[in-house]
Each structure stands twice: as structure tokens, then as C-alpha cells.
Amino acid sequence: MVSFRDKLVHAPVAYTFRDVIIVPGFAEVEPSEVDLSTKVTKSFSIKVPIVSSPMDTVTEERMAITLARLGSLGVLHRNCSKERAIEMARNVKEASEVIDSVPTLSPNDSVARALELMREYDIDVLPVVDGDGRLLGTVIKVDVLLSLSEEPVASIVRRDIPILDTAADVSYAASLMRESKLTALPVVTKDGRYLGFIRAEMLSTREKGVEPSRGRDGRLLCAAAISPFDIDRARALDRYVDILVIDVAHFHNRNCINATKRLVKEVSADVVIGNIGTYKAAEDVVTGIERVDGLRVGISSGSICSTGEVTGAAAPTLFAVAEVADALKDYGLEIPVIADGGIRSAADAAKAFAVGAWCVMCGYLFAGCDESPSPVVRIGGKLYKYYRGMGSHAARVQRYILDRYSPVAKHVAEGIEALVPYRGPVSKVLREFVAALKAALGYAGAKSIRDMWEKARIAVITEQGAGEIRPHSVEPL
Ligand code: IMP
């Protein structure tokens, strides 16, 4: 047995995002020429390499539809009944590619807020939804302009505006627009949940440079989280989704591996396995399970995660990705690695790519977007959205997660509840993320994510240095 002293003295360093920098390299292409397309699983490609976490304050159908439309992917959460999980997946699959995500108002929002949003999004209609995301009606510009700014929008909401269902095709939407003389109509699911708007402009001109992520059926790409122990739900979802994402905090566990061995034989969708965080975990997964179509990698780096604090255990995302990517290389396997947790910016994503990630998963960045399921809250003039860990007390009391961090399996909370800054629409967040990521690859001298694996060099930076490479010594305006 190794000596305790040696265990300590020879301990590896688990570097993560804030510890390292990308060393600039010789660039042969301009950032605008960088290609960010990648694979999220063995069978499915995405153009934008950032996918949303399966969390109940991040990804329901609205987020999933928007991300797939914009060339990325949202993984539907599983903190709900099997029926609701299936309904979400069906809604994504039935959704038209022309649904545009328009921000919502709640009945108590003021007319002034409605006007602010109409100007910002250059739209004359806005949806009003209740606390469960169900459409109550529509507010139109003429009513907004003719009302007092402090009045609640509830007093001007129109309930007679035609509504489209998810499956409405382009020609039906166009004919309803002609008939109603409205240039945008809301789309809702069968049970009345608001999904977005179809706008007249989108029917005639396709958005430039946007290519949706698609499944084998040609419809929007759809992924849903599952437990490895709920074969029944996995089979039911398998009829609708392209990708099943195993959603377990610590997958490197005998029972999880044995259950997943059975599960992969029962479903035809690609299966992403996780979360794992070490070389050994990757080795045991790829040698023990017949089919592994993707790996979700990183333990304890999540912004709302308290696992490391509560248990002392962690495989921070950067460290974990390097470990897993090396194992795959040693086994000669090309399995997409999804870096999951702690990614706050394109800079973090670029560092993950430098050590072998294929794409990144993020809850934090998307929770603050219009398309996440939680409502906007205003505190002291600033706007926020509610975001919670799936192992937080509040999420666990919903009692649906019976294994990831449930009261049955564990007795402590491993996540927290929080507020994140409101960021506006996903399209804006993705646009900024893509631009920064292309710049990062440009500095590294890489023209693609695959190129990053080879070319990007990493250096460790001191705490002092980390302070120097941010704006410093000045009062930012
Ligand atoms: P973020 O983008 O840094 O907020 O991290 C999101 C990731 O944190 C998710 O994709 C999960 O892997 C992980 N996660 C979600 N809920 C919890 C929790 O309650 N405890 C620990 N990790 C969590």
C-alpha cells in the first residue's frame, strides 16, 4: 500500500478554468473563418458547441426549440412525471423551425415594460403568460401606446388574437396572418404553454447563417435526460428523442454501469453517459458498456453546485475533461466529450476545447435567458431569473429525481438556489458566445475545435497573474 505521506506529496493538481490561460499561437485563419461545428454524440452534429443543462430552471421545450433552431441543443430536464417528459419531447419534435422566441410579460408587468420590450425586440405584439408559462393573451402596440405607463398589462391583454399550435405549418400560419392582418401570432402547446411567435418576416426570408440542428427524422434535434434506473421512461422517450442523456451526479458506480448496460440495449436513441470525472471512470464506462455515444464530464464545478463543499469530492471540469479525453485517446475511441459545469464564458469553453472537449454544457448562462422556464424578477431596479441546482433542497422536494441527489439516495443537499442576471434572449447570448469563441480559437491559432486539441497550448497562471489579465487598476465606467 502506498504511504499516506506519498499519497499527499504525489497528489496530482486538479487545474480548472481559472488556473490556466491559453497561450497565443500562430494563426493561419481569421476568427471569422473559424468553424465551430462539432458533434454532441457519435451520430449528431451541432453548429454551435454549447448545449443547455437538463435542469428544471433551464431547459423545457421553449429553450430546447430555440437552441435547436439556432444550431445548438437543449437537453430537457427530468424533474417531472414521465408524461410531462414525453409531452416536452413531443412539443420539440412537433415544433416548426420558424418559431421565434419572443420574451414574455406577466400580468403584473407594467405597460412601460411592454413598450421597452417592444422597442428592444422590434415587435408589435407580446405574449402575457401565467406563472406556469401558459399563454393568457397578447398585448398589441396600439393598446400599449394608448395606455398609462404604470398600468399593469393585465388591463390591456387581448384574448381574441388567433393562436397557432406547435404543429402549425408555414402555409397555415401565413393564411391566418392574412386573415387577422397581424404580422406575428403566438404558438402554444396542446396544454396552452407558450412557445414563441411565428413572424411574417420569417415566413418569407430565412434567417441568414442560421442552420438548425436536426435529428434523423429531419425535425429539430431533441435530447432528454433520464435516470439509468428508469428503463420504462427511457423506452417511452426513445420514441420521440434523438438523444437520451443519463443524468447522474456520480456515474462511476457499479449499479449505474450495470443498469446502463441493460438500458443501451433497449433504446435506439444515442445515449450520453455521465457525469464522470476521471481516467478510470472513462475506462470502466467504455470497457463495461457496449454502446457509449457521448460522455458528460465534470463533477462539482457547477455554479449552483455544493457537492465539493459538502463532500470534499470533486473532478473540476477542466481536469475531468483532460482525464477522460486521454482515456479515450488511449483506447483509440472517438466519443464526443461534453464539458459540463462551471462554464461562465467562451473563454472557459475554449480552455475546455484545449484539453479535449467536443462541446460544452451550461446551465448558468442559459438560466438567465428569456427562454428558461423561470419568471423574471426585478430587485432594486435590476432584473434576475431564479436558478437552482437539481440537488438543491427545493428541487429535491419535488421528489421526482429518485436517484441523482434525491432524499432517498442521499440525505444532504448538493446544490443551492440562486438568482442569475437576466440576459435577454438566447439568440443574443449565443451570438456573443460564438463571436468570443471564434476570437479565442483565433488567438490559439486553431481553425476548428478539433484543431484546438492539437494546437492550443495551456499555461498555468498565478492568482496575481489572473488579476492582471482582467481589467484592473481602473474604475470601470
Ligand atoms: P453551471 O453551468 O456552472 O451552472 O453548471 C451546470 C451543471 O451543474 C449541470 O449541467 C449539472 O451537471 C450540474 N448540476 C446541476 N444541478 C446540480 C446540483 O444541484 N449539484 C451539483 N451539480 C449540479
Side-chain angles (χ1 to χ4, degrees):
M1 192 191 155
V2 60
S3 86
F4 292 124
R5 199 174 152 274
D6 280 354
K7 193 192 273 191
L8 202 56
V9 173
H10 299 300
V13 182
Y15 289 116
T16 194
F17 301 117
R18 273 174 237 203
D19 297 318
V20 303
I21 48 160
I22 294 172
V23 180
F26 177 62
E28 289 174 274
V29 293
E30 292 304 314
S32 59
E33 294 164 316
V34 165
D35 177 10
L36 293 177
S37 56
T38 187
K39 278 187 161 183
V40 64
T41 67
K42 279 186 178 168
S43 319
F44 297 106
S45 298
I46 50 176
K47 293 269 180 212
V48 180
I50 173 171
V51 305
S52 72
S53 300
M55 298 171 74
D56 62 5
T57 48
V58 179
T59 317
E60 294 199 332
E61 51 270 80
R62 201 175 152 210
M63 177 66 76
I65 291 170
T66 308
L67 283 172
R69 272 195 54 239
L70 296 172
S72 176
L73 176 71
V75 182
L76 298 166
H77 75 85
R78 67 181 179 95
N79 198 19
C80 57
S81 65
K82 179 174 107 186
E83 291 67 35
R84 173 74 184 122
I86 292 169
E87 180 192 66
M88 288 197 281
R90 282 176 72 151
N91 285 333
V92 175
K93 276 295 172 193
E94 285 179 0
S96 153
E97 279 177 21
V98 289
I99 295 179
D100 189 14
S101 181
V102 169
T104 58
L105 292 165
S106 68
N108 297 329
D109 278 329
S110 65
V111 164
R113 169 86 182 134
L115 191 59
E116 188 184 302
L117 286 173
M118 283 177 169
R119 289 198 173 129
E120 192 177 336
Y121 293 92
D122 188 25
I123 190 163
D124 292 351
V125 289
L126 282 174
V128 181
V129 300
D130 68 12
D132 292 329
R134 289 189 167 75
L135 185 76
L136 297 173
T138 307
V139 166
I140 64 172
K141 195 158 191 178
V142 61
D143 294 337
V144 168
L145 290 172
L146 296 176
S147 306
L148 295 174
S149 54
E150 64 276 12
E151 225 178 296
V153 291
S155 60
I156 54 165
V157 67
R158 290 186 180 237
R159 293 169 207 275
D160 55 348
I161 303 279
I163 293 170
L164 296 164
D165 70 31
T166 23
D169 66 13
V170 169
S171 57
Y172 178 68
S175 69
L176 211 56
M177 279 178 197
R178 273 194 205 99
E179 219 173 88
S180 63
K181 301 192 175 50
L182 288 167
T183 54
L185 294 176
V187 184
V188 297
T189 62
K190 282 192 190 71
D191 66 344
R193 273 170 219 272
Y194 165 75
L195 284 179
F197 267 72
I198 293 189
R199 300 166 80 156
E201 303 94 290
M202 301 175 74
L203 299 183
S204 51
T205 50
R206 295 300 299 262
E207 291 147 288
K208 269 194 255 121
V210 176
E211 202 181 308
S213 309
R214 293 201 181 85
R216 284 202 187 88
D217 53 4
R219 312 283 313 180
L220 293 177
L221 187 63
C222 180
I226 48 161
S227 152
F229 305 109
D230 193 348
I231 299 239
D232 188 36
R233 188 189 285 214
R235 271 204 223 104
L237 279 167
D238 191 42
R239 295 181 49 209
Y240 303 98
V241 304
D242 305 289
I243 303 168
L244 290 165
V245 178
I246 301 218
D247 187 40
V248 177
H250 178 41
F251 184 85
H252 194 201
N253 161 300
R254 189 182 308 279
N255 289 333
C256 288
I257 293 181
N258 287 340
T260 307
K261 273 185 187 172
R262 287 195 296 278
L263 189 140
V264 294
K265 295 201 182 101
E266 302 264 341
V267 296
S268 59
D270 271 18
V271 178
V272 172
I273 286 171
N275 281 38
I276 58 165
T278 61
Y279 186 102
K280 184 74 174 84
E283 192 169 43
D284 288 349
V285 166
V286 298
T287 54
I289 301 172
E290 215 167 90
R291 179 158 70 87
V292 181
D293 302 307
L295 288 165
R296 213 176 141 193
V297 178
I299 294 171
S300 287
S301 286
S303 60
I304 36 48
C305 173
S306 56
T307 303
E309 192 180 58
V310 171
T311 67
T317 301
L318 192 75
F319 165 82
V321 167
E323 289 258 320
V324 169
D326 267 349
L328 297 178
K329 199 147 89 181
D330 291 349
Y331 279 83
L333 294 169
E334 287 252 322
I335 300 175
V337 170
I338 305 170
D340 174 21
I343 283 134
R344 291 145 302 166
S345 62
D348 292 341
K351 293 171 189 177
F353 297 143
V355 296
W358 296 51
C359 61
V360 297
M361 176 175 272
C362 202
Y364 164 77
L365 274 179
F366 293 123
C369 293
D370 284 319
E371 293 81 352
S372 76
S374 51
V376 180
V377 274
R378 186 187 287 268
I379 301 174
K382 283 204 172 142
L383 298 177
Y384 298 89
K385 285 196 111 180
Y386 171 71
Y387 178 40
R388 69 183 181 195
M390 298 313 296
S392 64
H393 177 70
R396 292 191 318 149
V397 293
Q398 272 193 323
R399 286 183 182 267
Y400 283 117
I401 315 179
L402 289 174
D403 41 30
R404 188 170 172 117
Y405 312 91
S406 75
V408 179
K410 295 181 185 177
H411 298 286
V412 288
E414 288 183 28
I416 62 162
E417 294 176 80
L419 290 177
V420 288
Y422 168 70
R423 292 178 197 280
V426 158
S427 55
K428 178 169 152 248
V429 170
L430 284 191
R431 219 175 13 253
E432 289 166 5
F433 185 88
V434 163
L437 199 50
K438 286 185 167 185
L441 266 67
Y443 276 107
K447 58 181 188 305
S448 64
I449 291 171
R450 202 169 267 272
D451 215 19
M452 279 294 273
W453 304 343
E454 297 302 322
K455 297 211 175 117
R457 283 172 54 223
I458 287 282
V460 176
I461 192 155
T462 60
E463 222 177 304
Q464 295 267 14
E468 185 180 301
I469 61 162
R470 289 198 288 268
H472 61 89
S473 318
V474 291
E475 271 307 318
L477 289 175

